[in-house]
Amino acid sequence: MAKQKKDLSTEEKIKEAARKVFTSKGFAAARTRDIAEEAGMNLALLNYYFRSKEKLFEIVMIENLLHFISGIQTLLYDTTTSIEEKIDRLTNYYIDQIIEYPDLPLFILNALKSNSKFLKGKLNKNIMLKSHFMQQLQAELKKNKKTIKPLHFVINTFSMIIFPFVAKPLLMEVALSKDAEFIELMNERRKLIPIWIKTILRS
């Protein structure tokens, strides 16, 4: 049992180091030696657990994506909540997630940029398109006589939530001085984003 825990701990240490290196350097520029150094171990031990950079990247990327979308399916398919409640919950869920894992959006963006074919066949496109949320959104747009595609609404929602985290280094240079100020800003946005989104939907 102790050996299993030790092995598990080593694997997690390698994956955490890989997340940091892939986030900062991207898939193409990252080397397994960089990951081994970040994890504080020799290259031979890293290769024992993960035979190639590609395999390690695939494991880490899938885990990150599944973590990022794990809470969304239940929320999107909940038939007991209104579209307004879904927007509130979606905003709160993702702001909480990214505050806890602040490098996650940049990791995913860098990974997709450096290895754009990675996602092919790995995600179910119907998670969003066939959801109760999308049905409600289409009905709301029709009721308000809007001809815009629902996807614009979805893109705007996620952009408002995610972009400040991606732009955090710039914001810290030009507008903020402490991490606490950034967290305060995001807690303000968790109240404002649903208001903005609902206004776009109905105006």
Side-chain angles (χ1 to χ4, degrees):
M1 180 66 72
K3 179 65 164 55
Q4 185 179 9
K5 287 183 179 178
K6 182 180 177 181
D7 288 347
L8 214 73
S9 175
T10 302
E11 283 193 13
E12 289 304 318
K13 187 183 292 186
I14 293 171
K15 287 190 288 187
E16 182 57 33
R19 288 186 187 97
K20 292 180 180 178
V21 174
F22 286 137
T23 298
S24 62
K25 295 189 174 184
F27 174 78
R31 303 177 305 164
T32 50
R33 187 174 300 278
D34 299 327
I35 297 169
E37 290 176 359
E38 179 67 35
M41 63 184 64
N42 61 54
L43 186 58
L45 183 58
L46 185 146
N47 287 333
Y48 171 77
Y49 282 94
F50 300 96
R51 295 297 181 184
S52 68
K53 180 178 79 169
E54 289 75 14
K55 185 64 176 176
L56 180 55
F57 174 83
E58 182 175 337
I59 291 170
V60 171
M61 184 62 175
I62 288 174
E63 284 187 3
N64 273 272
L65 281 171
L66 289 178
H67 181 82
F68 199 61
I69 66 174
S70 61
I72 196 174
Q73 190 162 353
T74 301
L75 187 155
L76 293 177
Y77 281 80
D78 186 353
T79 58
T80 67
T81 55
S82 67
I83 190 168
E84 291 87 356
E85 291 172 312
K86 286 183 174 65
I87 292 168
D88 291 340
R89 294 182 184 185
L90 182 72
T91 303
N92 280 305
Y93 173 78
Y94 275 114
I95 287 179
D96 286 340
Q97 287 293 301
I98 306 174
I99 285 176
E100 186 175 357
Y101 302 96
D103 292 331
L104 189 55
L106 193 58
F107 174 88
I108 293 173
L109 290 173
N110 282 343
L112 294 177
K113 182 179 178 182
S114 60
N115 194 359
S116 60
K117 295 181 180 179
F118 171 77
L119 280 183
K120 189 174 182 180
K122 290 185 171 65
L123 290 179
N124 181 2
K125 293 181 180 180
N126 291 329
I127 288 177
M128 176 68 73
L129 297 178
K130 302 294 185 183
S131 67
H132 185 251
F133 169 77
M134 188 60 73
Q135 294 172 16
Q136 289 174 306
L137 177 56
Q138 290 170 334
E140 193 70 27
L141 291 172
K142 184 177 180 180
K143 184 178 76 175
N144 293 315
K145 299 180 180 179
K146 289 184 176 292
T147 57
I148 62 171
K149 294 179 180 178
L151 188 58
H152 287 300
F153 179 88
V154 173
I155 292 171
N156 282 346
T157 303
F158 281 99
S159 297
M160 287 183 185
I161 296 169
I162 295 170
F163 179 76
F165 290 95
V166 176
K168 183 183 175 184
L170 177 61
L171 293 173
M172 296 302 294
E173 284 293 324
V174 302
L176 305 171
S177 58
K178 299 176 183 177
D179 278 342
E181 292 177 336
F182 179 79
I183 299 300
E184 182 182 356
L185 185 73
M186 294 314 300
N187 282 328
E188 290 172 358
R189 288 182 67 83
R190 76 167 72 236
K191 298 175 184 176
L192 292 170
I193 289 171
I195 294 172
W196 294 333
I197 292 298
K198 293 168 192 175
T199 300
I200 292 172
L201 184 60
R202 299 209 168 102
S203 62

